[in-house]
Amino acid sequence: MKEYGYRQSNADHTLFLKRRNGLVTCLIIYVDDMIITGDDVEEIAQLKRNLFSKFEMKDLGNLKYFLGIEVLRSKRGIFICQKKYVLDLLAETGLIDCKPADTPMVVNHNLHMELDGKLADRERYQRLVGKLIYLSHTRPDIAYAVGVVSQFMHQPQVAHMEAARRILRYLKGTAGHGVLFKTNGHLNVELYTDADWAGDKGNRRSTSGYFSLVGGNLVTWRSKKQKVVALSSAEAEFRGIARGLSEVLWIRKLLEDIGFSQKAPSKVMCDNTAAIQISENPVQHDRTKHVEVDRHFIKEKLEGGIIELPYVASKDQLADILTKAVNGNTFNSCLSKLSIGNPTTQLEGECRKEENK
């Protein structure tokens, strides 16, 4: 790629970029599968010729299917999902005709390692959860639930297997769900970050999560249990902000590499006023010494105009579904705001027309 004048991105080493006459061409590769995109039609054609001269390759045309991810295009936007993957998983586990669940995990599930809990088939459990982890690449709605069940891979019990099977029952009713990308007239980077303080009943560690959006479209998400016990809800939220900020900086760097530098500060939405005050207050407090590095990291980016920390009400906190199990109404409301769901019949019809062309 370097021979052809391409530069390897510092933000993502699998991404190669070339600018020519104000146009850009991108190639991203995973092992021996690659995607080529950009607005330089001539360069894309030349790159294909160059690659075909070096390697035995196939051009599969417009992107429709990549590593198990289905891509549908229409005038409304681009929709990605893993419907076939979900249906194959349900058939493999014998749950293709099961009764659907309305959410991936019950509220107040209290999953932990029971002292005398009956053990489940470990190999079967690990295989199932491994497939659910891959599915969460296009299904942020199951990210929290999958994160919980993946904590018991070493010695799964029957209760954990039942929780994993509930995720499958949820997938039964939402097999075609995915993420819709549409044009919203801007490319601003925003992030919703949240934390559930001491939510793990086994070791009282907190779970933090974030959704990042570019141009109003959901691009990355994460739900992860924190490595240490937080002494307050503010501390748990504070650590979550620091992890989310790292993601914002990475996305801004990636956009800059592609040619879309961010002029305005990125908004990091948090619903904890104490965490926001600690971040913005230059005075060192005894109660923040143990998170001093995170505090300086956040404060530096605030002062540099790279981020803002606006307060968002808990009812508008979209990252809530990444930190704990919520009821059906709250769950579906968050998914709707994030454009996560099943494409309408109209969208599917438009996609088929585009594919036929």
Side-chain angles (χ1 to χ4, degrees):
M1 293 305 295
K2 289 178 179 176
E3 283 178 23
Y4 302 147
Y6 283 75
R7 180 179 61 82
Q8 193 171 16
S9 168
N10 289 322
D12 187 336
H13 292 163
T14 65
L15 174 64
F16 296 85
L17 303 153
K18 183 176 183 179
R19 288 194 182 83
R20 194 182 66 124
N21 302 326
L23 304 174
V24 65
T25 305
C26 310
L27 179 144
I28 192 161
I29 185 166
Y30 181 82
V31 190
D32 60 351
D33 292 295
M34 62 182 70
I35 299 172
I36 300 172
T37 188
D39 53 5
D40 191 339
V41 179
E42 290 182 11
E43 176 58 32
I44 289 174
Q46 182 61 47
L47 175 59
K48 287 181 183 178
R49 287 193 291 271
N50 290 338
L51 290 172
F52 272 87
S53 69
K54 292 275 188 181
F55 307 101
E56 184 179 332
M57 305 179 74
K58 284 183 181 178
D59 183 356
L60 301 176
N62 284 337
L63 182 63
K64 295 178 184 175
Y65 195 77
F66 188 76
L67 304 177
I69 298 171
E70 300 163 54
V71 182
L72 301 173
R73 300 165 180 268
S74 81
K75 292 177 182 177
R76 288 180 56 195
I78 299 173
F79 180 78
I80 64 169
C81 67
Q82 289 175 273
K83 184 175 181 179
K84 182 180 182 300
Y85 187 90
V86 171
L87 295 176
D88 289 345
L89 181 56
L90 289 171
E92 180 187 324
T93 53
L95 291 173
I96 195 72
D97 296 318
C98 69
K99 182 181 178 182
D102 59 344
T103 59
M105 184 160 275
V106 295
V107 180
N108 301 323
H109 55 80
N110 195 24
L111 275 184
H112 63 282
M113 289 297 297
E114 298 175 15
L115 289 176
D116 300 316
K118 187 178 179 182
L119 297 179
D121 185 326
R122 186 168 68 172
E123 186 177 330
R124 184 171 157 231
Y125 184 85
Q126 291 175 343
R127 187 165 59 246
L128 170 58
V129 175
K131 292 189 175 185
L132 289 173
I133 289 171
Y134 184 72
L135 179 60
S136 60
H137 287 322
T138 60
R139 297 294 300 265
D141 49 337
I142 65 170
Y144 170 73
V146 171
V148 172
V149 296
S150 65
Q151 295 171 25
F152 308 104
M153 299 279 256
H154 60 294
Q155 196 176 12
Q157 297 176 344
V158 171
H160 309 143
M161 179 63 86
E162 284 303 312
R165 286 173 68 85
R166 181 187 170 89
I167 299 174
L168 291 174
R169 291 199 296 113
Y170 167 74
L171 292 172
K172 162 65 179 175
T174 59
H177 279 208
V179 182
L180 177 65
F181 301 93
K182 54 191 176 183
T183 177
N184 291 309
H186 67 90
L187 282 176
N188 298 336
V189 177
E190 298 174 328
L191 184 127
Y192 287 84
T193 175
D194 195 21
D196 179 40
W197 180 47
D200 189 309
K201 300 296 187 291
N203 54 24
R204 285 301 175 184
R205 290 185 188 174
S206 306
T207 299
S208 54
Y210 60 73
F211 282 124
S212 66
L213 297 92
V214 176
N217 293 302
L218 181 61
V219 290
T220 65
W221 51 87
R222 193 174 195 192
S223 174
K224 187 173 176 63
K225 192 161 74 169
Q226 295 180 1
K227 293 182 178 179
V228 295
V229 176
L231 300 179
S232 67
S233 61
E235 182 185 333
E237 296 270 5
F238 198 70
R239 295 186 190 279
I241 292 172
R243 302 294 87 77
L245 174 53
S246 298
E247 186 75 359
V248 166
L249 296 177
W250 175 77
I251 291 172
R252 288 174 67 102
K253 178 63 178 171
L254 184 61
L255 287 170
E256 184 181 341
D257 275 356
I258 298 171
F260 299 101
S261 296
Q262 295 287 299
K263 302 292 189 291
S266 299
K267 292 182 178 179
V268 177
M269 322 284 190
C270 175
D271 63 0
N272 188 289
T273 52
I276 294 173
Q277 288 167 358
I278 293 171
S279 302
E280 294 176 338
N281 190 350
V283 179
Q284 174 67 51
H285 295 287
D286 286 343
R287 66 193 180 105
T288 64
K289 281 183 178 177
H290 52 300
V291 287
E292 188 176 352
V293 174
D294 284 343
R295 190 180 73 86
H296 282 291
F297 176 52
I298 297 167
K299 180 171 168 287
E300 180 183 272
K301 305 309 174 189
L302 276 168
E303 292 176 347
I306 294 172
I307 65 163
E308 293 176 348
L309 268 178
Y311 171 78
V312 60
S314 295
K315 64 182 178 63
D316 298 318
Q317 176 55 274
L318 302 182
D320 203 28
I321 62 173
L322 292 177
T323 63
K324 59 179 175 288
V326 297
N327 63 55
N329 290 337
T330 303
F331 187 72
N332 291 322
S333 173
C334 288
L335 297 189
S336 176
K337 292 174 183 175
L338 291 164
S339 294
I340 302 168
N342 202 349
T344 63
T345 306
Q346 179 187 355
L347 175 58
E348 289 179 319
E350 289 173 7
C351 292
R352 290 194 191 98
K353 287 179 184 177
E354 294 291 326
E355 288 174 3
N356 290 337
K357 288 178 183 178

PDB file of all heavy atoms in Angstrom, residues 328-348:
ATOM      1  N   GLY A 328     -38.724  -2.629  30.007  1.00  0.00           N
ATOM      2  CA  GLY A 328     -38.968  -2.607  28.569  1.00  0.00           C
ATOM      3  C   GLY A 328     -39.189  -1.220  28.004  1.00  0.00           C
ATOM      4  O   GLY A 328     -38.676  -0.891  26.926  1.00  0.00           O
ATOM      5  N   ASN A 329     -39.927  -0.364  28.712  1.00  0.00           N
ATOM      6  CA  ASN A 329     -40.219   0.984  28.212  1.00  0.00           C
ATOM      7  C   ASN A 329     -38.952   1.832  28.098  1.00  0.00           C
ATOM      8  O   ASN A 329     -38.709   2.478  27.075  1.00  0.00           O
ATOM      9  CB  ASN A 329     -41.231   1.689  29.125  1.00  0.00           C
ATOM     10  CG  ASN A 329     -42.624   1.088  29.017  1.00  0.00           C
ATOM     11  OD1 ASN A 329     -42.959   0.465  28.007  1.00  0.00           O
ATOM     12  ND2 ASN A 329     -43.426   1.257  30.050  1.00  0.00           N
ATOM     13  N   THR A 330     -38.139   1.827  29.158  1.00  0.00           N
ATOM     14  CA  THR A 330     -36.884   2.582  29.145  1.00  0.00           C
ATOM     15  C   THR A 330     -35.951   2.043  28.075  1.00  0.00           C
ATOM     16  O   THR A 330     -35.307   2.801  27.332  1.00  0.00           O
ATOM     17  CB  THR A 330     -36.194   2.493  30.523  1.00  0.00           C
ATOM     18  OG1 THR A 330     -37.077   2.973  31.525  1.00  0.00           O
ATOM     19  CG2 THR A 330     -34.905   3.293  30.552  1.00  0.00           C
ATOM     20  N   PHE A 331     -35.883   0.716  27.981  1.00  0.00           N
ATOM     21  CA  PHE A 331     -35.008   0.047  27.025  1.00  0.00           C
ATOM     22  C   PHE A 331     -35.369   0.446  25.592  1.00  0.00           C
ATOM     23  O   PHE A 331     -34.506   0.886  24.812  1.00  0.00           O
ATOM     24  CB  PHE A 331     -35.138  -1.468  27.218  1.00  0.00           C
ATOM     25  CG  PHE A 331     -34.169  -2.291  26.421  1.00  0.00           C
ATOM     26  CD1 PHE A 331     -32.831  -2.326  26.766  1.00  0.00           C
ATOM     27  CD2 PHE A 331     -34.599  -3.045  25.354  1.00  0.00           C
ATOM     28  CE1 PHE A 331     -31.927  -3.102  26.039  1.00  0.00           C
ATOM     29  CE2 PHE A 331     -33.717  -3.822  24.623  1.00  0.00           C
ATOM     30  CZ  PHE A 331     -32.379  -3.850  24.971  1.00  0.00           C
ATOM     31  N   ASN A 332     -36.630   0.333  25.233  1.00  0.00           N
ATOM     32  CA  ASN A 332     -37.064   0.628  23.864  1.00  0.00           C
ATOM     33  C   ASN A 332     -36.953   2.110  23.534  1.00  0.00           C
ATOM     34  O   ASN A 332     -36.689   2.480  22.389  1.00  0.00           O
ATOM     35  CB  ASN A 332     -38.500   0.145  23.654  1.00  0.00           C
ATOM     36  CG  ASN A 332     -38.599  -1.377  23.657  1.00  0.00           C
ATOM     37  OD1 ASN A 332     -37.721  -2.055  23.147  1.00  0.00           O
ATOM     38  ND2 ASN A 332     -39.658  -1.905  24.244  1.00  0.00           N
ATOM     39  N   SER A 333     -37.141   2.971  24.533  1.00  0.00           N
ATOM     40  CA  SER A 333     -37.000   4.410  24.318  1.00  0.00           C
ATOM     41  C   SER A 333     -35.561   4.763  23.944  1.00  0.00           C
ATOM     42  O   SER A 333     -35.323   5.541  23.014  1.00  0.00           O
ATOM     43  CB  SER A 333     -37.412   5.163  25.588  1.00  0.00           C
ATOM     44  OG  SER A 333     -37.146   6.543  25.464  1.00  0.00           O
ATOM     45  N   CYS A 334     -34.593   4.174  24.658  1.00  0.00           N
ATOM     46  CA  CYS A 334     -33.170   4.425  24.356  1.00  0.00           C
ATOM     47  C   CYS A 334     -32.808   3.906  22.965  1.00  0.00           C
ATOM     48  O   CYS A 334     -32.109   4.582  22.203  1.00  0.00           O
ATOM     49  CB  CYS A 334     -32.280   3.753  25.409  1.00  0.00           C
ATOM     50  SG  CYS A 334     -32.307   4.569  27.022  1.00  0.00           S
ATOM     51  N   LEU A 335     -33.287   2.714  22.619  1.00  0.00           N
ATOM     52  CA  LEU A 335     -32.974   2.134  21.314  1.00  0.00           C
ATOM     53  C   LEU A 335     -33.513   3.010  20.191  1.00  0.00           C
ATOM     54  O   LEU A 335     -32.849   3.213  19.166  1.00  0.00           O
ATOM     55  CB  LEU A 335     -33.562   0.723  21.191  1.00  0.00           C
ATOM     56  CG  LEU A 335     -33.031  -0.339  22.156  1.00  0.00           C
ATOM     57  CD1 LEU A 335     -33.564  -1.720  21.756  1.00  0.00           C
ATOM     58  CD2 LEU A 335     -31.512  -0.369  22.169  1.00  0.00           C
ATOM     59  N   SER A 336     -34.715   3.535  20.377  1.00  0.00           N
ATOM     60  CA  SER A 336     -35.334   4.384  19.358  1.00  0.00           C
ATOM     61  C   SER A 336     -34.511   5.652  19.132  1.00  0.00           C
ATOM     62  O   SER A 336     -34.283   6.064  17.986  1.00  0.00           O
ATOM     63  CB  SER A 336     -36.757   4.747  19.788  1.00  0.00           C
ATOM     64  OG  SER A 336     -37.350   5.640  18.876  1.00  0.00           O
ATOM     65  N   LYS A 337     -34.044   6.275  20.205  1.00  0.00           N
ATOM     66  CA  LYS A 337     -33.256   7.502  20.096  1.00  0.00           C
ATOM     67  C   LYS A 337     -31.907   7.258  19.436  1.00  0.00           C
ATOM     68  O   LYS A 337     -31.315   8.180  18.860  1.00  0.00           O
ATOM     69  CB  LYS A 337     -33.046   8.120  21.489  1.00  0.00           C
ATOM     70  CG  LYS A 337     -34.328   8.668  22.108  1.00  0.00           C
ATOM     71  CD  LYS A 337     -34.098   9.134  23.530  1.00  0.00           C
ATOM     72  CE  LYS A 337     -35.392   9.617  24.177  1.00  0.00           C
ATOM     73  NZ  LYS A 337     -35.195   9.975  25.604  1.00  0.00           N
ATOM     74  N   LEU A 338     -31.403   6.018  19.532  1.00  0.00           N
ATOM     75  CA  LEU A 338     -30.095   5.678  18.950  1.00  0.00           C
ATOM     76  C   LEU A 338     -30.206   5.077  17.550  1.00  0.00           C
ATOM     77  O   LEU A 338     -29.211   4.637  16.981  1.00  0.00           O
ATOM     78  CB  LEU A 338     -29.376   4.688  19.879  1.00  0.00           C
ATOM     79  CG  LEU A 338     -28.905   5.259  21.219  1.00  0.00           C
ATOM     80  CD1 LEU A 338     -28.578   4.135  22.199  1.00  0.00           C
ATOM     81  CD2 LEU A 338     -27.682   6.153  21.017  1.00  0.00           C
ATOM     82  N   SER A 339     -31.425   5.034  16.998  1.00  0.00           N
ATOM     83  CA  SER A 339     -31.670   4.431  15.668  1.00  0.00           C
ATOM     84  C   SER A 339     -31.269   2.961  15.638  1.00  0.00           C
ATOM     85  O   SER A 339     -30.735   2.465  14.649  1.00  0.00           O
ATOM     86  CB  SER A 339     -30.923   5.202  14.567  1.00  0.00           C
ATOM     87  OG  SER A 339     -31.427   6.493  14.419  1.00  0.00           O
ATOM     88  N   ILE A 340     -31.520   2.267  16.754  1.00  0.00           N
ATOM     89  CA  ILE A 340     -31.282   0.822  16.826  1.00  0.00           C
ATOM     90  C   ILE A 340     -32.638   0.139  16.715  1.00  0.00           C
ATOM     91  O   ILE A 340     -33.560   0.458  17.461  1.00  0.00           O
ATOM     92  CB  ILE A 340     -30.619   0.428  18.159  1.00  0.00           C
ATOM     93  CG1 ILE A 340     -29.294   1.163  18.352  1.00  0.00           C
ATOM     94  CG2 ILE A 340     -30.404  -1.086  18.230  1.00  0.00           C
ATOM     95  CD1 ILE A 340     -28.735   1.054  19.754  1.00  0.00           C
ATOM     96  N   GLY A 341     -32.764  -0.792  15.801  1.00  0.00           N
ATOM     97  CA  GLY A 341     -34.031  -1.492  15.647  1.00  0.00           C
ATOM     98  C   GLY A 341     -34.097  -2.222  14.336  1.00  0.00           C
ATOM     99  O   GLY A 341     -33.073  -2.512  13.716  1.00  0.00           O
ATOM    100  N   ASN A 342     -35.305  -2.514  13.904  1.00  0.00           N
ATOM    101  CA  ASN A 342     -35.534  -3.253  12.669  1.00  0.00           C
ATOM    102  C   ASN A 342     -35.905  -2.269  11.571  1.00  0.00           C
ATOM    103  O   ASN A 342     -36.760  -1.415  11.787  1.00  0.00           O
ATOM    104  CB  ASN A 342     -36.677  -4.254  12.876  1.00  0.00           C
ATOM    105  CG  ASN A 342     -36.625  -5.389  11.872  1.00  0.00           C
ATOM    106  OD1 ASN A 342     -35.875  -5.334  10.902  1.00  0.00           O
ATOM    107  ND2 ASN A 342     -37.416  -6.405  12.091  1.00  0.00           N
ATOM    108  N   PRO A 343     -35.281  -2.351  10.389  1.00  0.00           N
ATOM    109  CA  PRO A 343     -35.653  -1.422   9.329  1.00  0.00           C
ATOM    110  C   PRO A 343     -37.101  -1.649   8.916  1.00  0.00           C
ATOM    111  O   PRO A 343     -37.592  -2.766   8.930  1.00  0.00           O
ATOM    112  CB  PRO A 343     -34.687  -1.766   8.198  1.00  0.00           C
ATOM    113  CG  PRO A 343     -34.312  -3.189   8.437  1.00  0.00           C
ATOM    114  CD  PRO A 343     -34.319  -3.352   9.928  1.00  0.00           C
ATOM    115  N   THR A 344     -37.783  -0.591   8.538  1.00  0.00           N
ATOM    116  CA  THR A 344     -39.169  -0.724   8.120  1.00  0.00           C
ATOM    117  C   THR A 344     -39.252  -1.431   6.781  1.00  0.00           C
ATOM    118  O   THR A 344     -38.265  -1.582   6.073  1.00  0.00           O
ATOM    119  CB  THR A 344     -39.813   0.667   7.987  1.00  0.00           C
ATOM    120  OG1 THR A 344     -39.112   1.376   6.958  1.00  0.00           O
ATOM    121  CG2 THR A 344     -39.747   1.433   9.279  1.00  0.00           C
ATOM    122  N   THR A 345     -40.447  -1.874   6.425  1.00  0.00           N
ATOM    123  CA  THR A 345     -40.665  -2.523   5.134  1.00  0.00           C
ATOM    124  C   THR A 345     -40.255  -1.585   4.000  1.00  0.00           C
ATOM    125  O   THR A 345     -39.675  -2.006   3.000  1.00  0.00           O
ATOM    126  CB  THR A 345     -42.150  -2.899   4.972  1.00  0.00           C
ATOM    127  OG1 THR A 345     -42.530  -3.687   6.105  1.00  0.00           O
ATOM    128  CG2 THR A 345     -42.378  -3.695   3.712  1.00  0.00           C
ATOM    129  N   GLN A 346     -40.502  -0.287   4.210  1.00  0.00           N
ATOM    130  CA  GLN A 346     -40.141   0.693   3.197  1.00  0.00           C
ATOM    131  C   GLN A 346     -38.638   0.700   2.965  1.00  0.00           C
ATOM    132  O   GLN A 346     -38.168   0.706   1.830  1.00  0.00           O
ATOM    133  CB  GLN A 346     -40.596   2.085   3.639  1.00  0.00           C
ATOM    134  CG  GLN A 346     -40.241   3.184   2.647  1.00  0.00           C
ATOM    135  CD  GLN A 346     -40.554   4.573   3.211  1.00  0.00           C
ATOM    136  OE1 GLN A 346     -41.121   4.689   4.290  1.00  0.00           O
ATOM    137  NE2 GLN A 346     -40.186   5.588   2.477  1.00  0.00           N
ATOM    138  N   LEU A 347     -37.849   0.685   4.063  1.00  0.00           N
ATOM    139  CA  LEU A 347     -36.400   0.696   3.935  1.00  0.00           C
ATOM    140  C   LEU A 347     -35.912  -0.556   3.226  1.00  0.00           C
ATOM    141  O   LEU A 347     -35.055  -0.498   2.350  1.00  0.00           O
ATOM    142  CB  LEU A 347     -35.754   0.804   5.326  1.00  0.00           C
ATOM    143  CG  LEU A 347     -34.225   0.719   5.385  1.00  0.00           C
ATOM    144  CD1 LEU A 347     -33.595   1.805   4.536  1.00  0.00           C
ATOM    145  CD2 LEU A 347     -33.735   0.818   6.817  1.00  0.00           C
ATOM    146  N   GLU A 348     -36.468  -1.737   3.595  1.00  0.00           N
ATOM    147  CA  GLU A 348     -36.043  -2.976   2.956  1.00  0.00           C
ATOM    148  C   GLU A 348     -36.356  -2.951   1.461  1.00  0.00           C
ATOM    149  O   GLU A 348     -35.570  -3.418   0.637  1.00  0.00           O
ATOM    150  CB  GLU A 348     -36.729  -4.172   3.627  1.00  0.00           C
ATOM    151  CG  GLU A 348     -36.200  -4.444   5.033  1.00  0.00           C
ATOM    152  CD  GLU A 348     -36.893  -5.616   5.687  1.00  0.00           C
ATOM    153  OE1 GLU A 348     -38.123  -5.738   5.537  1.00  0.00           O
ATOM    154  OE2 GLU A 348     -36.201  -6.413   6.329  1.00  0.00           O
TER     155      GLU A 348
END
